[in-house]
């Protein structure tokens, strides 16, 4: 493995390339990345990096987003089969039909969608800015939110804004399932619980707080908010409800902390498809470039730019 790591580092330096990795990537990929983050952070980094060659260690829709906002840069993904169960829950034809049944609606798409779906959307959002962006839309507008029903319900609970919500979900967060927080808190007393909004339990926490369980130690957080919370917290024990890959990054930030997954089953098989060998091959051969068709890219860029502008 050491020789492979040295080869990757050598190729990266020779080609003046940058490696971007999502929080859910395998630990060895994260350790080689120039930047690790969530979808929003990776989008910002792709737009501002001076490197013209980007190796995107994540899933396909993320590489598409990087290509859309940085059309003059070459974006390569080490594994073309690294898809997303959530982005596959709605396609272009389904969105167009949904829009036709709800004319004059504002379409708000989670960034976990294909470039084609983004091209038919008015806004893109991530878990860290979805509430802010929905609040920025005039209250007189009808909103279609897609594709994650749990994030949509969380936004409704957080904003008091009723939306039409697509019936999709992420298979990773579905694996976590319904949580009996009273039982979980008994197992981990005095522990901070960090819950991603894609988990069904996130909206339950907002709506049932102080009724069925003590919500004082439960925090609904995007992935980057989880990172900052752990970094700045006086606590040294955390339970994380999202994909388990983020725990590697959290432990590097606070080595002395005890960090537990709420569910050991919360593993994204797609995120784990990228290996050191595949990254080395991508760097060496520069194949599997992601290039979104120009017409689609132009239309998809507007909702992405709105997302970035409202995230400052």
């Amino acid at each position: 493995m050491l020789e492979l790591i040295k080869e990757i580092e050598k190729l990266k330096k020779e080609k003046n390339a940058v490696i971007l990795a999502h929080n859910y990537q395998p630990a060895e990929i994260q350790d080689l990345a120039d930047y690790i983050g969530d979808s929003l952070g990776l989008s910002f980094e792709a737009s501002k990096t001076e490197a013209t060659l980007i190796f995107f260690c994540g899933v396909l829709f993320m590489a598409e987003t990087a290509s859309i906002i940085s059309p003059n840069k070459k974006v390569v993904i080490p594994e073309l089969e690294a898809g997303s169960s959530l982005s596959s829950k709605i396609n272009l034809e389904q969105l167009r039909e949904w829009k036709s049944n709800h004319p004059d609606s504002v379409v708000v798409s989670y960034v976990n969608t294909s470039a084609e779906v983004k091209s038919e959307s008015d806004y893109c959002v991530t878990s860290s800015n979805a509430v802010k962006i929905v609040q920025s839309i005039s209250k007189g507008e009808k909103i279609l939110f897609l594709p994650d029903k749990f994030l949509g319900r969380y936004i409704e609970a957080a904003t008091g804004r009723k939306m039409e919500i697509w019936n999709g979900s992420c298979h990773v967060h579905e694996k976590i399932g319904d949580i009996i927080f009273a039982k979980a808190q008994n197992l981990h007393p005095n522990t901070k619980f960090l819950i991603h909004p894609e988990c069904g339990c996130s909206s339950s926490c907002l709506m049932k707080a102080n009724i069925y369980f003590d919500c004082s130690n439960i925090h609904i957080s995007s992935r980057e908010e989880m990172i900052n919370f752990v970094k700045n917290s006086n606590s040294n024990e955390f339970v994380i409800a999202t994909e388990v890959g983020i725990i590697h990054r959290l432990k590097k930030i606070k080595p002395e902390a005890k960090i537990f997954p709420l569910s050991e089953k919360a593993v994204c098989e797609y995120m784990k498809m990228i290996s050191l060998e595949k990254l080395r091959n991508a760097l060496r051969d520069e194949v599997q470039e992601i290039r979104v068709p120009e017409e689609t890219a132009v239309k998809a860029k507007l909702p992405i730019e709105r997302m970035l502008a409202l995230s400052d």
Side-chain angles (χ1 to χ4, degrees), residues 25 27-28 31 38 58 81 92 96 144 220 222 234 244:
Q25 284 292 296
E28 60 271 19
D31 290 342
D38 62 3
E81 296 300 315
L92 180 62
R96 284 175 171 168
L144 304 183
I220 302 171
S222 70
N234 292 325
V244 297

Side-chain angles (χ1 to χ4, degrees), residues 22-296:
H22 192 271
N23 290 310
Y24 297 168
Q25 284 292 296
E28 60 271 19
I29 299 295
Q30 292 190 40
D31 290 342
L32 281 169
D34 298 288
Y35 180 86
I36 309 165
D38 62 3
S39 300
L40 180 60
L42 294 172
S43 297
F44 272 121
E45 194 64 25
S47 67
K48 71 181 185 181
T49 181
E50 295 182 0
T52 57
L53 188 53
I54 298 173
F55 290 87
F56 210 110
C57 297
V59 292
L60 188 58
F61 78 81
M62 297 177 184
E64 285 183 338
T65 302
S67 177
I68 289 167
I69 61 181
S70 305
N72 296 323
K73 299 170 184 175
K74 185 174 183 179
V75 178
V76 175
I77 189 167
E79 176 52 73
L80 278 174
E81 296 300 315
S84 164
S85 64
L86 183 55
S87 66
S88 67
K89 294 295 169 64
I90 186 167
N91 59 37
L92 180 62
E93 291 72 27
Q94 289 172 314
L95 175 53
R96 284 175 171 168
E97 182 179 358
W98 198 32
K99 288 174 66 175
S100 70
N101 292 331
H102 299 277
D104 303 318
S105 295
V106 175
V107 178
V108 178
S109 294
Y110 195 20
V111 74
N112 299 43
T113 48
S114 69
E116 287 186 332
V117 167
K118 290 181 177 70
S119 73
E120 284 286 330
S121 304
D122 298 293
Y123 292 88
C124 280
V125 300
T126 69
S127 57
S128 60
N129 62 23
V131 169
K132 179 180 178 181
I133 289 176
V134 167
Q135 287 175 327
S136 75
I137 299 171
S138 171
K139 291 184 178 179
E141 299 281 4
K142 184 175 183 179
I143 296 175
L144 304 183
F145 182 86
L146 62 100
D148 190 272
K149 61 184 177 183
F150 295 125
L151 179 58
R153 291 172 189 171
Y154 166 74
I155 295 167
E156 284 189 328
T159 64
R161 185 82 179 264
K162 181 64 179 174
M163 304 185 297
E164 295 291 329
I165 300 173
W166 189 260
N167 186 30
S169 60
C170 167
H171 80 293
V172 175
H173 292 96
E174 281 183 331
K175 291 177 183 179
I176 296 175
D178 293 328
I179 303 300
I180 302 173
F181 274 103
K183 182 178 179 180
Q185 288 173 327
N186 285 335
L187 289 172
H188 299 280
N190 303 316
T191 297
K192 302 294 185 183
F193 286 75
L194 304 180
I195 312 297
H196 192 273
E198 280 182 47
C199 297
C201 51
S202 64
S203 54
S204 297
C205 181
L206 279 184
M207 293 184 286
K208 298 178 182 177
N210 301 319
I211 299 175
Y212 297 105
F213 53 85
D214 175 14
C215 221
S216 60
N217 283 335
I218 298 175
H219 304 269
I220 302 171
S221 312
S222 70
R223 298 169 189 98
E224 287 306 303
E225 287 168 345
M226 289 181 184
I227 298 294
N228 291 328
F229 188 95
V230 170
K231 185 187 299 183
N232 299 319
S233 177
N234 292 325
S235 177
N236 276 324
E237 188 167 327
F238 306 89
V239 172
I240 308 297
T242 190
E243 213 274 352
V244 297
I246 199 172
I247 293 177
H248 177 71
R249 186 178 174 197
L250 292 171
K251 286 183 174 178
K252 291 182 73 172
I253 289 170
K254 187 171 277 194
E256 71 276 17
K258 295 179 180 179
I259 304 174
F260 307 95
L262 192 55
S263 172
E264 295 278 1
K265 298 178 182 179
V267 177
C268 179
E269 298 85 352
Y270 298 108
M271 283 287 187
K272 302 301 189 275
M273 292 177 75
I274 295 176
S275 64
L276 290 175
E277 289 82 1
K278 290 177 181 178
L279 177 56
R280 185 274 313 277
N281 294 345
L283 277 159
R284 182 189 63 202
D285 303 330
E286 295 183 31
V287 294
Q288 300 179 158
E289 178 183 6
I290 301 302
R291 180 66 63 178
V292 177
E294 185 175 2
E295 182 179 355
T296 300

